[in-house]
Coordinates of all heavy atoms in Angstrom, one line a residue:
Chain B
Q192 N 2.7 -26.8 11.3 CA 3.2 -25.4 11.1 C 2.7 -24.5 12.1 O 3.4 -23.5 12.5 CB 2.7 -24.9 9.7 CG 3.5 -25.5 8.5 CD 3.0 -24.9 7.2 OE1 1.9 -25.0 6.8 NE2 3.9 -24.2 6.6
R193 N 1.4 -24.7 12.5 CA 0.8 -23.7 13.4 C 1.1 -24.0 14.9 O 1.1 -23.2 15.7 CB -0.7 -23.6 13.2 CG -1.0 -22.9 11.9 CD -0.2 -21.6 11.8 NE -0.6 -20.9 10.6 CZ -1.7 -20.1 10.6 NH1 -2.5 -20.0 11.7 NH2 -2.0 -19.4 9.5
R194 N 1.1 -25.3 15.2 CA 1.2 -25.7 16.6 C 2.3 -26.7 16.9 O 2.3 -27.3 18.0 CB -0.1 -26.3 17.1 CG -1.4 -25.5 16.8 CD -1.7 -24.6 17.9 NE -2.7 -23.7 17.5 CZ -4.0 -24.0 17.6 NH1 -4.4 -25.1 18.1 NH2 -4.9 -23.1 17.2
G195 N 3.1 -27.0 15.9 CA 4.0 -28.1 16.2 C 5.4 -27.9 15.7 O 6.0 -26.9 15.9
A196 N 5.9 -29.0 15.1 CA 7.4 -29.0 14.8 C 7.8 -28.1 13.7 O 9.0 -27.8 13.6 CB 7.7 -30.5 14.5
A197 N 6.9 -27.6 12.9 CA 7.3 -26.7 11.8 C 6.9 -25.3 12.1 O 6.8 -24.5 11.2 CB 6.7 -27.2 10.5
A198 N 6.7 -25.0 13.4 CA 6.4 -23.6 13.7 C 7.4 -22.6 13.2 O 8.6 -22.9 13.2 CB 6.2 -23.5 15.2
D199 N 7.0 -21.5 12.7 CA 7.8 -20.5 12.1 C 8.8 -21.0 11.1 O 9.9 -20.5 10.9 CB 8.5 -19.6 13.1 CG 9.3 -20.4 14.2 OD1 10.1 -21.3 13.8 OD2 9.1 -20.3 15.4
A200 N 8.4 -22.0 10.3 CA 9.2 -22.4 9.1 C 8.3 -22.2 8.0 O 7.3 -22.9 7.8 CB 9.6 -23.9 9.2
G201 N 8.6 -21.2 7.2 CA 7.8 -20.9 6.0 C 7.8 -22.0 5.0 O 6.8 -22.4 4.5
D202 N 9.0 -22.5 4.8 CA 9.1 -23.6 3.9 C 9.2 -24.9 4.7 O 10.2 -25.1 5.4 CB 10.4 -23.4 3.0 CG 10.3 -22.2 2.2 OD1 9.1 -21.7 1.9 OD2 11.3 -21.7 1.8
A203 N 8.2 -25.7 4.6 CA 8.2 -27.0 5.4 C 7.6 -28.1 4.6 O 6.9 -27.8 3.6 CB 7.5 -26.8 6.7
A204 N 7.8 -29.3 5.0 CA 7.2 -30.4 4.3 C 6.9 -31.5 5.4 O 7.4 -31.5 6.5 CB 8.2 -31.0 3.3
M205 N 6.0 -32.4 5.1 CA 5.6 -33.4 6.0 C 5.5 -34.7 5.2 O 5.1 -34.7 4.0 CB 4.3 -33.1 6.7 CG 3.9 -34.2 7.7 SD 3.0 -33.5 9.1 CE 2.9 -35.0 10.1
V206 N 6.0 -35.8 5.8 CA 5.9 -37.1 5.2 C 5.2 -38.0 6.2 O 5.7 -38.1 7.3 CB 7.3 -37.6 4.8 CG1 7.2 -39.1 4.3 CG2 7.9 -36.8 3.7
T207 N 4.2 -38.7 5.8 CA 3.5 -39.6 6.7 C 3.7 -41.0 6.1 O 3.4 -41.2 4.9 CB 2.1 -39.3 7.0 OG1 1.3 -39.4 5.8 CG2 1.9 -38.0 7.6
I208 N 4.0 -41.9 7.0 CA 4.1 -43.3 6.5 C 3.3 -44.2 7.5 O 3.6 -44.2 8.7 CB 5.6 -43.8 6.6 CG1 6.5 -42.7 5.9 CG2 5.8 -45.1 5.9 CD1 8.0 -43.1 6.0
G209 N 2.3 -44.8 7.0 CA 1.5 -45.7 7.8 C 0.9 -46.7 6.8 O 1.6 -47.4 6.1
A210 N -0.4 -46.7 6.7 CA -1.1 -47.6 5.8 C -0.7 -47.1 4.4 O -0.7 -47.9 3.4 CB -2.6 -47.6 6.0
G211 N -0.5 -45.8 4.2 CA -0.1 -45.3 2.9 C 1.1 -44.4 3.1 O 1.5 -44.1 4.2
L212 N 1.6 -43.9 2.0 CA 2.7 -42.9 2.0 C 2.1 -41.6 1.5 O 1.6 -41.5 0.4 CB 3.8 -43.4 1.1 CG 5.0 -42.4 0.9 CD1 5.7 -42.1 2.2 CD2 5.9 -42.9 -0.2
G213 N 2.3 -40.5 2.3 CA 1.8 -39.2 1.8 C 2.8 -38.2 2.1 O 3.7 -38.3 3.0
A214 N 2.8 -37.1 1.4 CA 3.7 -36.0 1.6 C 2.9 -34.7 1.3 O 2.0 -34.7 0.5 CB 4.9 -36.1 0.7
A215 N 3.3 -33.7 2.0 CA 2.7 -32.4 1.8 C 3.9 -31.4 1.8 O 4.9 -31.5 2.5 CB 1.8 -32.0 2.9
L216 N 3.7 -30.4 0.9 CA 4.8 -29.4 0.8 C 4.2 -28.0 1.0 O 3.1 -27.7 0.5 CB 5.3 -29.4 -0.7 CG 5.7 -30.8 -1.3 CD1 6.1 -30.7 -2.7 CD2 6.8 -31.4 -0.5
A217 N 4.9 -27.2 1.7 CA 4.5 -25.8 1.9 C 5.7 -24.9 1.5 O 6.8 -25.1 1.9 CB 4.1 -25.5 3.4
I218 N 5.4 -23.9 0.8 CA 6.4 -22.9 0.4 C 5.8 -21.5 0.8 O 4.7 -21.2 0.5 CB 6.6 -22.9 -1.1 CG1 7.3 -24.2 -1.5 CG2 7.4 -21.7 -1.6 CD1 7.8 -24.4 -2.9
D219 N 6.6 -20.7 1.5 CA 6.2 -19.4 2.0 C 4.9 -19.6 2.8 O 4.0 -18.7 2.7 CB 6.0 -18.4 0.8 CG 7.3 -18.0 0.2 OD1 8.3 -18.1 0.9 OD2 7.3 -17.5 -0.9
G220 N 4.9 -20.6 3.6 CA 3.7 -20.8 4.5 C 2.5 -21.3 3.8 O 1.5 -21.6 4.4
R221 N 2.5 -21.4 2.5 CA 1.4 -21.9 1.7 C 1.5 -23.4 1.3 O 2.5 -23.7 0.8 CB 1.2 -21.1 0.4 CG 0.6 -19.8 0.6 CD 0.0 -19.3 -0.7 NE -1.0 -18.3 -0.4 CZ -0.8 -17.2 0.2 NH1 0.5 -16.9 0.5 NH2 -1.7 -16.3 0.5
I222 N 0.5 -24.1 1.6 CA 0.6 -25.5 1.2 C 0.2 -25.7 -0.2 O -0.8 -25.2 -0.7 CB -0.4 -26.4 2.1 CG1 0.2 -26.3 3.6 CG2 -0.5 -27.8 1.6 CD1 -0.6 -27.1 4.6
L223 N 1.0 -26.4 -1.0 CA 0.8 -26.6 -2.4 C -0.2 -27.7 -2.6 O -0.2 -28.7 -1.9 CB 2.1 -27.0 -3.1 CG 3.3 -26.1 -2.9 CD1 4.5 -26.7 -3.7 CD2 3.0 -24.7 -3.3
H224 N -1.1 -27.5 -3.5 CA -2.2 -28.5 -3.8 C -2.1 -29.1 -5.1 O -2.0 -30.3 -5.3 CB -3.5 -27.8 -3.6 CG -4.0 -27.6 -2.2 ND1 -3.7 -26.5 -1.5 CD2 -4.6 -28.5 -1.3 CE1 -4.2 -26.7 -0.2 NE2 -4.7 -27.9 -0.2
G225 N -2.1 -28.2 -6.1 CA -2.2 -28.7 -7.5 C -3.6 -28.9 -7.9 O -4.5 -29.2 -7.0
R226 N -3.9 -28.7 -9.1 CA -5.3 -28.7 -9.6 C -6.0 -30.0 -9.2 O -7.2 -30.1 -8.8 CB -5.3 -28.5 -11.1 CG -6.7 -28.4 -11.6 CD -7.0 -27.1 -12.3 NE -5.9 -26.2 -12.6 CZ -5.9 -25.6 -13.8 NH1 -6.8 -25.8 -14.7 NH2 -4.9 -24.7 -14.0
H227 N -5.3 -31.1 -9.3 CA -5.9 -32.4 -9.0 C -5.5 -33.0 -7.6 O -5.8 -34.1 -7.3 CB -5.5 -33.4 -10.1 CG -5.9 -33.0 -11.4 ND1 -7.2 -33.0 -11.9 CD2 -5.2 -32.4 -12.4 CE1 -7.3 -32.5 -13.1 NE2 -6.1 -32.2 -13.5
G228 N -4.8 -32.1 -6.9 CA -4.4 -32.6 -5.5 C -3.3 -33.6 -5.5 O -3.1 -34.3 -4.5
L229 N -2.6 -33.7 -6.6 CA -1.6 -34.8 -6.7 C -0.2 -34.4 -6.2 O 0.6 -35.2 -6.1 CB -1.5 -35.2 -8.2 CG -2.7 -35.9 -8.8 CD1 -2.5 -36.2 -10.2 CD2 -3.1 -37.1 -8.0

Side-chain angles (χ1 to χ4, degrees):
Chain B
Q192 282 185 298
R193 288 311 187 82
R194 306 272 171 84
D199 53 53
D202 299 337
M205 181 149 187
V206 174
T207 61
I208 313 175
L212 171 64
L216 312 175
I218 292 185
D219 286 339
R221 281 205 157 62
I222 292 178
L223 306 183
H224 281 94
R226 185 115 17 134
H227 303 282
L229 296 178

